[in-house]
Amino acid sequence: MGGVNRTNVGANLPALRSHNTALVLDLLRTAGGDGISRLELAERTGLTPQAVSKITGRLREEGLAAEAGRRASTGGKPRTVLRLVPEAGHAIGVHLDRDELRAVLVDLDGAVVGERCLPMDLGAGAEAVVAGVARAAEGLAGSVVSVLGVGVALPGPLDHVRGVLHRVTGFPEWDGFPLRDALAARLGLPVVVDKDTNAAALGLAVAAEGTSFAYLHLGTGLGAGLVIGGVVHRGARTGAGEFGHQVVQLDGPVCGCGNRGCIEALCLGAVRRGDMAEAARVLGVGAANLVGLLDIDLVLLGGRTVASAPEEFVGGVRAVLRERARGEEAVPVRIAPGGVRGVAEGAAQSLLAPLFGRADG
C-alpha cells in the first residue's frame, strides 16, 4: 500500500507546536463556536497583543482559525472574535484489543467524525495485525485531507517512548516488536503507541474529568490509567498502571502473566462464571488499594465488561470503597464517558493534545 502521506494544512500542524501557539490554540478550542477576542487571548496567556496578533495571523493563514463575528466592547469599535476550525486537522485513534480493532477519526475538537470496528486476533502475528491497523487507518484517512497521524493503544506492558511492545499478557510473541516504526513505515504518517489504559486516561484528563483519578479498564484484561496532578503517570519505564497483576490471593489461580492470585485472574474468572457481583467486589478491592496508596480523588470505570453491567460494577466498587473509608467520605466512583470507544478516542488525543500544550493530560 502506498500510505497516506499528506501535503496540506494537516501536514503543517506539527510545526505549530510552540508553547505560545499551543496556549492560543487551547483557548480557541475551549472557547468553542462563540470564539474569543485577541484582547482576551492576550489577557489569558500573558502575551503581548502584538504577539497574539502574529500567532493568530499565522493560524488564520494555516486555516486553523477563522473569524466568528464581532462582540460589543466597553469602549471603541466592536472586537473581532476568532474560533478554532475543527475540520482543519484530524487524528486517527486505534484501540487494538486482544480480539478486535476499533478505530476512530476525530477532528481538532476531538469530535468523532468516522469509526470502524472489526474482529482482530492479537495473536495472528505482527504482519497480519499491522496490515489490519493500516487498512483501518487508510480507510478513515481517505475521507479527509488533513491527518496529523495515528495513535495506537493496546494492552501493555510496552515502551511508550520508543513504541516497542513488551510481553503483552497472553501474547509473549510480541516482546520487542517495534510497532510504532512498523506502522509509520507502512502509513507514511507519525505514529504514537501507548497502553490502552494510559490512552483512555489522557483522553479523560483532556476532557477535564479530573486532575487526580484512576481509570480502571475491564475488558479482555484488566489495567489502570493513573492521572496525578493533571498528568498521566507512566513511571520511569512507562510501566505504571499494571493494576491487574497485583497479587491479592497468594494461593490463587494462575494468571496469564505467570503469577498466582492476580486481581485480573480473579476478576476475569468471576466474569466467566457469570458472577458479576464477585467481579465487581474484586475490582473494588483493587480500587481501594489504589485509593489508599495514591490518595486519588476519583475512580472511573470503563471497558467492554464494565459496559455490560455498569450499575453492578459501580455499585460493587463503591461498596468496597465505602467499607474501607472507615467513617471518612468515600472516593466517588462513576462510569467513564466515551463508552466502548473511549480508548480509541484517547489514542487520537495522543496526537492532538500536544498541539494544545496538553501532551501529558
Side-chain angles (χ1 to χ4, degrees):
M1 296 185 184
V4 286
N5 259 322
R6 310 284 181 186
T7 53
N8 49 48
V9 170
N12 295 327
L13 291 177
L16 297 172
R17 291 180 184 174
S18 74
H19 174 69
N20 290 342
T21 301
L23 290 176
V24 172
L25 276 171
D26 193 42
L27 287 171
L28 288 170
R29 180 180 62 86
T30 54
D34 292 337
I36 185 171
S37 71
R38 291 178 180 83
L39 180 59
E40 290 173 299
L41 287 170
E43 290 172 346
R44 296 189 190 182
T45 60
L47 299 172
T48 65
Q50 293 82 3
V52 167
S53 291
K54 184 176 180 179
I55 291 170
T56 55
R58 188 167 70 249
L59 292 177
R60 291 185 67 182
E61 289 175 6
E62 294 286 348
L64 290 165
E67 286 192 8
R70 293 180 180 273
R71 184 181 300 159
S73 65
T74 54
K77 62 180 181 180
R79 297 173 186 162
T80 300
V81 293
L82 301 172
R83 64 174 179 86
L84 183 71
V85 180
E87 62 272 20
H90 298 82
I92 295 170
V94 177
H95 179 193
L96 185 56
D97 208 342
R98 292 172 173 86
D99 60 357
E100 77 170 21
L101 180 155
R102 184 177 299 273
V104 297
L105 178 72
V106 305
D107 64 18
L108 293 180
D109 267 336
V112 176
V113 296
E115 181 176 4
R116 296 196 172 194
C117 184
L118 60 145
M120 175 67 67
D121 179 8
L122 196 56
E127 184 176 346
V129 172
V130 168
V133 173
R135 281 195 300 271
E138 288 167 340
L140 289 170
S143 63
V144 296
V145 295
S146 52
V147 180
L148 285 170
V150 180
V152 181
L154 71 161
L158 54 82
D159 184 334
H160 164 72
V161 175
R162 297 190 302 131
V164 175
L165 305 190
H166 293 324
R167 294 179 65 85
V168 178
T169 303
F171 301 91
E173 65 273 17
W174 281 102
D175 191 16
F177 184 77
L179 181 61
R180 181 193 66 189
D181 292 348
L183 278 171
R186 180 76 175 248
L187 292 167
L189 285 171
V191 175
V192 175
V193 172
D194 206 349
K195 283 201 303 188
D196 46 13
T197 49
N198 286 344
L202 173 61
L204 293 167
V206 169
E209 286 299 316
T211 59
S212 174
F213 65 84
Y215 167 73
L216 306 184
H217 183 92
L218 179 59
T220 59
L222 175 60
L226 307 174
V227 171
I228 300 173
V231 176
V232 177
H233 177 69
R234 292 188 171 88
R237 291 166 294 280
T238 72
E242 288 300 306
F243 169 81
H245 300 296
Q246 55 177 305
V247 175
V248 294
Q249 184 179 333
L250 293 179
D251 58 349
V254 176
C255 180
C257 72
N259 290 327
R260 282 186 172 273
C262 288
I263 191 171
E264 178 176 294
L266 295 169
C267 202
L268 292 180
V271 170
R272 284 191 292 270
R273 297 192 302 272
D275 191 349
M276 293 301 190
E278 174 64 8
R281 187 185 74 83
V282 173
L283 186 60
V285 169
N289 289 346
L290 268 186
V291 170
L293 184 66
L294 300 176
D295 194 24
I296 52 177
D297 298 326
L298 172 67
V299 173
L300 295 169
L301 307 180
R304 278 187 283 162
T305 302
V306 168
S308 70
E311 293 182 4
E312 196 155 13
F313 275 102
V314 168
V317 172
R318 183 180 289 146
V320 178
L321 290 181
R322 284 176 175 169
E323 181 183 339
R324 294 278 191 94
R326 296 186 179 91
E328 298 181 5
E329 186 175 353
V331 169
V333 181
R334 64 173 185 260
I335 296 296
V340 294
R341 66 186 188 193
V343 171
E345 290 184 44
Q349 283 295 339
S350 65
L351 273 301
L352 292 181
L355 287 177
F356 303 102
R358 300 173 63 90
D360 292 313

